[in-house]
Amino acid sequence: MNYLEVVLFIVAVVGVIALGIWKSRGEDTHSESKGASDYFLAGRGLTWWLVGFSLIAANISTEQFVGMSGSAANWLGMAIASYEWMAAITLVLVGFWFLPRFLKAGLYTIPEFLEYRFGGIARLAMAIPAIVTLVFVTTSSVIFSGAKFVSEYYNEVPYLSNLTFMCWAIGIFAALYVFIGGLKACAWTDLIWGAALIVGGAIVMWFAFATLSERSADELILTKVENSQATVEDLEQASPWERFILLNDGTEGEAVAVNGENGSGGKLHMVRPKEDSDLPWTALMIGLWIPNFFYWGLNQYIVQRTLGSKSLAEGQKGIVFAASLKLIVPFVVVIPGILAFNLFSGDLHDSAEKRNNATIERLAEGQVLKVDQAFVETQPETASRILSINAKSSEEGSMIGPEASPEQIALRINNLADKAVKAKPDEKGVLAGTLVGYDYDAAFPILVRNLIKPMPWISWFILAALCGAVISSLASMLNSASTIATMDLYANFTGQTNQAVLVKVGRSFVVLFVILAAIVAPMLNKLESIFAYIQEFQGFISPGILAVFIFGFFSPRTPRWFGVVGIVVNAVAYALFKWWLGPVIVEQGWWYSGEMAFLDRMAICFFIVIFTGVLVTLLAPLDKPVEMPVNDQICLESSKGAKLAGSLVIVTTIALYFIFW
């Protein structure tokens, strides 16, 4: 361990957090009349630059640097950047469609809108899943990804290399921070961490390209995608950027994106085949917009910053500023992820092998394992052992010839695993996990460890930016979850209006939620992709809530009881398409690919809820529109400058899609 690095890192993190707490000192959280407003919404006094940087820092954490970089290192490549570039357009629309309605109603929480428009049960139907999602999905995943980064970076240092220890350490530190400072402390630290993350990501990318220029062409050619025609000679004569293009897009862009294992097709394309299991081009048409609008427009964790805006104009300028920063993110997160495989595929394999061995050691009698093709290619002897284990558990022979390809072996192992699971439907845990050839979630930590760690005068800054962002994101999530629990549940049921009491209750929820999230976080290490885990879970919630809000905004005659019906219909429909109807449709050959992507399931469920809403509006319309409350304490004049800047963001996003099509 380099002590200079550690000292500078600790000073930076503690110093920025102290700044946030110091800046929040003016908030009177003990006031009976405005304590909750000061604690949960920073006194509704955030300026545009605090809103903008806070949105970015709250969104971009190791969840993105670990999860998104990992997906980019795998087969998705640049396609995963759609989550960022489409978010830029989404943010602009949210600023001018959603925010005016929320600020006009003077909301503390997003579920509060549903009570005004659809009734108290609708508010609970959103609030309870929102808390569950914030605590057990987003907060736990950010704790995990932060701990994953630190444990991979210090993989030989006692305690710091222990994933579970780091999960608890990060969670407790974040809870102490939000417990004291509230949203205003989060916003001020986000100002520092948001800028530091962009700069830190750019530094990592710079060193990655510098290393790419020095790496032997004979070594790099081994990581080339299969449909690139680049040769060793091409690589030897190329600049760093040209090497990146040759390895992942071919000599003339011939390495198109194809459906298959990592390395089978080009990685520099935003549009992927319709058969792709994660991001088919069909999802870009509708499916991806659903989680985007939900996340940026209806997710308390994000929207809480805009609810604390000084005015509508300040909120809109902050949102557009954040949208412009989103255009930069793929260049400092996604591209380094792709480079991680080109430069350090061996390290990615070593990390996977360590996880695989631990999984195999825990394997009990009768349990089976699944594998990917890369695992069979990189660990053929272990793959043969897993084939025998699965064959025994499924009570079938291995039935595989000596000349079988890695793809055929992987398919046979997985088929045997499926048969073993089906043969024991009443037993849980028959499938013990999936063995992989490469640990893609380790892509960014490995980049930083190999490129930045030898330079303590720089590494402390990268570490501080990433760890600070984790703490800041966790603080924001805990603050938002406690806001919903306090205002939508506790205050709603008890009728408590003393805001000083509400602050105390909110702080109690912070402690409870961080304990629950820290318990769940280490369990996420069993997942193949943390990013996919987060997005998949949202399918049960986001399409229905988005559809309900659309009717709440634009259909004044839709009956109040539709708020609950829409949310429940979506959850049931998504479950059916995920576990029963979707697989049946695919098996019958009625779907265009061998798997129904979760974004396509989202789109289908969204339209089911929209159809339900139209139907109930036609059959049982309200006699008169619901009157929403009006907050006369905030200026609701829109920003003309934000409209112009937002238009430029949308045009730039379209241009980027054209370049990386």
Side-chain angles (χ1 to χ4, degrees):
M1 183 189 304
N2 188 293
Y3 289 100
L4 174 64
E5 174 189 83
V6 173
V7 170
L8 291 173
F9 162 69
I10 293 174
V11 169
V13 173
V14 173
V16 174
I17 289 176
L19 170 67
I21 295 174
W22 177 67
K23 295 296 289 187
S24 69
R25 286 188 311 164
E27 304 303 307
D28 187 4
T29 59
H30 299 289
S31 169
E32 294 184 8
S33 60
K34 65 173 187 174
S37 175
D38 281 3
Y39 185 74
F40 294 122
L41 293 180
R44 298 188 190 270
L46 298 181
T47 54
W48 68 267
W49 39 277
L50 281 174
V51 171
F53 273 119
S54 188
L55 284 170
I56 291 299
N59 167 242
I60 305 175
S61 182
T62 47
E63 174 192 345
Q64 268 68 33
F65 276 93
V66 171
M68 192 172 287
S69 292
S71 294
N74 204 347
W75 82 88
L76 284 177
M78 282 298 295
I80 198 67
S82 282
Y83 282 98
E84 302 301 310
W85 287 343
M86 289 178 71
I89 297 177
T90 304
L91 273 166
V92 175
L93 299 179
V94 164
F96 294 95
W97 283 2
F98 289 27
L99 186 60
R101 291 172 169 83
F102 293 156
L103 292 183
K104 184 178 180 180
L107 304 181
Y108 269 94
T109 69
I110 299 302
E112 190 178 350
F113 177 90
L114 291 184
E115 179 169 15
Y116 295 141
R117 177 59 184 86
F118 293 109
I121 298 178
R123 181 180 187 176
L124 292 178
M126 180 180 182
I128 294 173
I131 293 171
V132 172
T133 304
L134 275 169
V135 175
F136 295 106
V137 180
T138 51
T139 302
S140 61
S141 63
V142 170
I143 289 177
F144 163 74
S145 57
K148 175 82 172 178
F149 174 83
V150 175
S151 61
E152 285 288 345
Y153 185 85
Y154 290 118
N155 61 339
E156 296 179 353
V157 179
Y159 296 108
L160 295 183
S161 62
N162 185 292
L163 183 68
T164 301
F165 174 83
M166 287 309 306
C167 283
W168 280 98
I170 289 173
I172 291 171
F173 199 34
L176 290 172
Y177 164 37
V178 70
F179 189 93
I180 298 171
L183 181 63
K184 191 170 185 179
C186 295
W188 276 97
T189 55
D190 286 348
L191 174 66
I192 308 298
W193 300 132
L197 279 172
I198 301 296
V199 174
I203 291 173
V204 173
M205 184 177 68
W206 175 273
F207 279 103
F209 274 109
T211 304
L212 188 69
S213 68
E214 300 168 356
R215 191 61 56 88
S216 165
D218 291 320
E219 185 177 346
L220 289 174
I221 201 72
L222 299 176
T223 66
K224 180 189 73 170
V225 295
E226 292 178 6
N227 52 355
S228 168
Q229 297 174 8
T231 63
V232 172
E233 290 73 21
D234 293 330
L235 291 172
E236 288 176 340
Q237 300 170 8
S239 66
W241 178 258
E242 289 171 339
R243 284 186 164 197
F244 175 68
I245 298 296
L246 288 169
L247 291 171
N248 299 289
D249 195 37
T251 55
E252 299 292 337
E254 74 278 356
V256 298
V258 300
N259 189 42
E261 292 277 332
N262 181 31
S264 58
K267 296 184 180 181
L268 301 190
H269 301 280
M270 302 299 298
V271 178
R272 292 194 55 79
K274 65 180 186 299
E275 297 84 9
D276 188 82
S277 60
D278 279 9
L279 272 175
W281 66 262
T282 54
L284 299 182
M285 306 300 293
I286 298 171
L288 191 54
W289 293 102
I290 295 168
N292 260 311
F293 271 106
F294 175 81
Y295 182 87
W296 292 104
L298 304 175
N299 182 0
Q300 180 73 25
Y301 154 56
I302 293 295
V303 181
Q304 192 154 336
R305 283 131 180 77
T306 61
L307 295 180
S309 299
K310 196 174 185 179
S311 65
L312 175 59
E314 288 292 304
Q316 288 175 332
K317 287 186 286 187
I319 286 177
V320 172
F321 177 53
S324 64
L325 294 177
K326 293 297 283 183
L327 300 179
I328 303 172
V329 172
F331 294 101
V332 298
V333 177
V334 176
I335 289 179
I338 299 172
L339 286 169
F341 186 79
N342 295 139
L343 295 172
F344 304 113
S345 58
D347 287 13
L348 294 176
H349 167 64
D350 292 342
S351 180
E353 187 175 17
K354 181 179 177 181
R355 286 178 55 184
N356 293 339
N357 292 339
T359 301
I360 294 172
E361 287 176 5
R362 293 193 301 266
L363 198 65
E365 184 70 25
Q367 286 187 314
V368 293
L369 293 163
K370 285 192 172 184
V371 302
D372 67 4
Q373 184 177 325
F375 169 77
V376 179
E377 292 171 345
T378 56
Q379 295 182 251
E381 294 182 2
T382 309
S384 178
R385 178 185 168 194
I386 301 304
L387 179 62
S388 300
I389 291 173
N390 285 7
K392 180 181 177 182
S393 297
S394 61
E395 298 181 352
E396 288 195 19
S398 59
M399 297 172 58
I400 196 80
E403 302 300 323
S405 66
E407 182 180 5
Q408 292 172 325
I409 295 173
L411 181 61
R412 181 58 183 163
I413 290 173
N414 294 337
N415 285 340
L416 290 171
D418 289 335
K419 289 180 179 179
V421 172
K422 289 180 180 179
K424 303 172 183 177
D426 298 329
E427 295 185 25
K428 295 182 179 180
V430 176
L431 180 60
T434 300
L435 306 181
V436 296
Y438 300 97
D439 182 4
Y440 295 109
D441 276 347
F444 196 81
I446 284 173
L447 269 180
V448 175
R449 190 177 73 213
N450 286 317
L451 300 177
I452 310 298
K453 192 173 183 178
M455 294 172 286
W457 285 105
I458 298 176
S459 61
W460 72 267
F461 177 81
I462 306 296
L463 287 172
L466 288 168
C467 292
V470 170
I471 294 166
S472 185
S473 293
L474 288 176
S476 301
M477 290 173 183
L478 292 169
N479 181 256
S480 298
S482 69
T483 302
I484 296 176
T486 303
M487 306 305 294
D488 292 314
L489 299 183
Y490 177 80
N492 201 23
F493 282 111
T494 65
Q496 178 64 256
T497 58
N498 185 309
Q499 295 202 21
V501 173
L502 295 178
V503 171
K504 291 179 181 178
V505 172
R507 285 173 168 157
S508 299
F509 277 123
V510 167
V511 175
L512 172 63
F513 292 157
V514 77
I515 291 172
L516 294 175
I519 291 172
V520 172
M523 304 177 189
L524 302 184
N525 198 39
K526 298 178 182 178
L527 299 177
E528 185 175 348
S529 172
I530 184 64
F531 197 75
Y533 161 74
I534 297 167
Q535 299 304 326
E536 178 77 57
F537 188 89
Q538 293 287 355
F540 291 95
I541 301 169
S542 54
I545 290 178
L546 178 60
V548 166
F549 269 87
I550 287 174
F551 279 92
F553 289 159
F554 305 112
S555 180
R557 299 288 182 180
T558 298
R560 290 170 66 85
W561 47 266
F562 171 69
V564 177
V565 169
I567 294 172
V568 173
V569 165
N570 173 79
V572 173
Y574 193 85
L576 285 174
F577 276 99
K578 177 174 174 56
W579 287 308
W580 176 63
L581 195 54
V584 169
I585 291 173
V586 171
E587 288 175 6
Q588 294 298 321
W590 299 337
W591 198 247
Y592 54 78
S593 66
E595 183 179 355
M596 186 179 289
F598 73 91
L599 288 171
D600 285 334
R601 291 198 295 272
M602 279 188 175
I604 293 171
C605 294
F606 175 75
F607 282 115
I608 288 174
V609 180
I610 291 290
F611 174 79
T612 304
V614 171
L615 187 63
V616 301
T617 303
L618 293 174
L619 294 177
L622 289 173
D623 294 332
K624 61 178 183 179
V626 176
E627 292 187 11
M628 300 291 291
V630 177
N631 176 22
D632 57 3
Q633 302 299 311
I634 188 170
C635 178
L636 296 174
E637 183 179 350
S638 192
S639 170
K640 294 180 180 179
K643 287 182 180 179
L644 176 60
S647 300
L648 292 175
V649 167
I650 292 174
V651 171
T652 304
T653 305
I654 294 171
L656 287 169
Y657 265 90
F658 178 79
I659 294 170
F660 289 97
W661 187 263

